[in-house]
Structures are given as structure tokens and as C-alpha cells.
Amino acid sequence: GAGVSQSPRYKVAKRGQDVALRCDPISGHVSLFWYQQALGQGPEFLTYFQNEAQLDKSGLPSDRFFAERPEGSVSTLKIQRTQQEDSAVYLCASSSDNYEQYFGPGTRLTVT
Amino acid sequence: GESVGLHLPTLSVQEGDNSIINCAYSNSASDYFIWYKQESGKGPQFIIDIRSNMDKRQGQRVTVLLNKTVKHLSLQIAATQPGDSAVYFCAENGNDYKLSFGAGTTVTVRA
């Protein structure tokens, strides 16, 4: 079946612009996660949804980061007033049991 | 704080040989561990997992060993192939959902 998909795959934003990154999880997966991966590093947890409820947003680096999953399926990660330090790959993962997490291909964000 | 880390950042292996990738973790409360493979431009791909009540688990060409005494995790890949070239991450799940990743080991397979 289809895996996790993310769009866009690449995004270039000028500093100060707002961006929106989309994640389509595996159908039926209750849990959805966002991670940030800096170059050469492992992914770092950002936020977690169970259905439409955001149960943990402790990893969001600042209040410029906002995530939503209004209907318990597709999720959007929004970054306002982007800064150069926001440049990274943003990964989305979904899971049916919170243990085995399936990752999408990621969105590579470059802030210039 | 607690973290999961890898012993070596790079590993070069001859095609056909076995590979061993090591990982040390510090959170003794972690009860679930996963190995992921990440190829360039792609997201992490699940390889194999193990729960803390086991010390060995085998998959297709891969084996994960867990030593809780010394908090060590390893991934063994049998008969390494060129397609195994990638970055390998170990990750731990200590609170039922949040994965903590190490920095990764880059495996290069020599023909």
C-alpha cells in the first residue's frame, strides 16, 4: 500500500517568509509525528498527534512553529517568519501503535 | 540528559562481508529499540526492532543484539551488498511514542 507522503519535497524560502509543509500519513494510522533532521544528525522529535489531538509539542523549537491535524489524517507543519537556523529536513512519521513508526521522504527546507 | 549514541560515525566494509554497527544508550528505562536505514534524499526506513525483554532478534540478513547490562545495541548485516550503503540510526522509545535517535553510522560497501 501507499506509504507516508510529504509535500513539497524541497522548499526554498527567504528569511522572514512563512512556510507550510504537508504530511499524508498511512491510511488508518492514528499516530502522527513530526521530526526535524539537521544535516549529518539524527532526527529530533518536534510534535505528536493522536488522531486530531496534539498530545505533545515539547520539541517545537519556538512559537514560530505550529502544527495541526484538524481531521485526524493530513497534518501541516507551519513555520512563521523563517530563520536560517530553520533550514533542515522535516520528517513526518505515522504509526498504528506508537512503536513501529513509518517515515515519509521528508521536506528539505532551505532558508536564504 | 538521556541519549542514544553510536560508537563509530563511519564503517567501510567489503561486499560480501558481514557488517556490525554498534550503538550505546543511556536510558535504562527504554523498553523498545529500533534500527533505521536512511539513504540519501530519503526518510528513515525501518529495518528491525527489539523489545527490552529480548536479547536477540533476527530478520532477513539482519540480526539485532541487545545487552541491557552494558546498555549496548548492535546491528549485524550478513553478506553486505552495495544496496546496504546508507546511514544507519539506532533509536530508543522510552515513553511509548517519542523516538530518540543517535547521530548515525555511515556504511560504505566496497566492491
Side-chain angles (χ1 to χ4, degrees):
Chain A
V4 178
S5 61
Q6 294 185 245
S7 61
R9 291 294 317 279
Y10 303 92
K11 177 69 178 177
V12 178
K14 290 188 189 303
R15 189 172 53 190
Q17 284 184 333
D18 298 349
V19 298
L21 313 180
R22 177 187 169 106
C23 172
D24 284 81
I26 293 172
S27 178
H29 277 192
V30 168
S31 300
L32 185 145
F33 308 82
W34 284 98
Y35 292 84
Q36 180 190 59
Q37 186 174 25
L39 189 63
Q41 302 296 315
E44 298 265 353
F45 171 82
L46 293 177
T47 188
Y48 160 59
F49 289 86
Q50 189 173 91
N51 294 307
E52 69 280 3
Q54 188 175 21
L55 299 186
D56 187 343
K57 53 182 181 180
S58 62
L60 296 177
S62 77
D63 59 6
R64 295 185 295 104
F65 287 70
F66 173 75
E68 60 184 5
R69 194 186 186 197
E71 297 178 359
S73 179
V74 170
S75 178
T76 304
L77 176 67
K78 298 179 180 178
I79 309 173
Q80 297 176 324
R81 303 181 303 282
T82 52
Q83 304 294 314
Q84 284 191 317
E85 61 263 28
D86 300 335
S87 295
V89 174
Y90 291 86
L91 295 162
C92 175
S94 71
S95 175
S96 60
D97 62 4
N98 283 352
Y99 282 93
E100 195 167 326
Q101 297 183 20
Y102 296 89
F103 283 82
T107 295
R108 180 176 296 278
L109 173 65
T110 303
V111 181
T112 61
Chain B
E2 308 283 10
S3 65
V4 175
L6 284 159
H7 289 305
L8 294 174
T10 62
L11 176 67
S12 180
V13 60
Q14 186 70 36
E15 181 179 357
D17 287 353
N18 296 334
S19 303
I20 299 177
I21 306 166
N22 295 306
C23 176
Y25 67 95
S26 58
N27 186 355
S28 56
S30 292
D31 63 355
Y32 179 66
F33 304 87
I34 315 99
W35 280 100
Y36 283 94
K37 171 186 179 184
Q38 188 172 27
E39 297 173 277
S40 181
K42 297 183 179 179
Q45 176 188 357
F46 177 93
I47 301 173
I48 192 168
D49 59 359
I50 189 168
R51 294 187 186 268
S52 59
N53 61 353
M54 303 171 68
D55 53 22
K56 180 178 180 179
R57 189 158 188 233
Q58 289 185 290
Q60 189 175 14
R61 281 201 309 118
V62 294
T63 300
V64 56
L65 299 177
L66 175 63
N67 185 330
K68 294 180 288 293
T69 302
V70 295
K71 296 182 197 153
H72 183 267
L73 194 69
S74 69
L75 177 70
Q76 300 177 3
I77 305 173
T80 311
Q81 302 169 359
D84 294 328
S85 292
V87 180
Y88 290 80
F89 294 96
C90 66
E92 63 173 322
N93 185 328
N95 61 0
D96 291 337
Y97 57 84
K98 189 185 301 185
L99 291 178
S100 295
F101 286 80
T105 291
T106 300
V107 173
T108 303
V109 180
R110 305 188 307 272

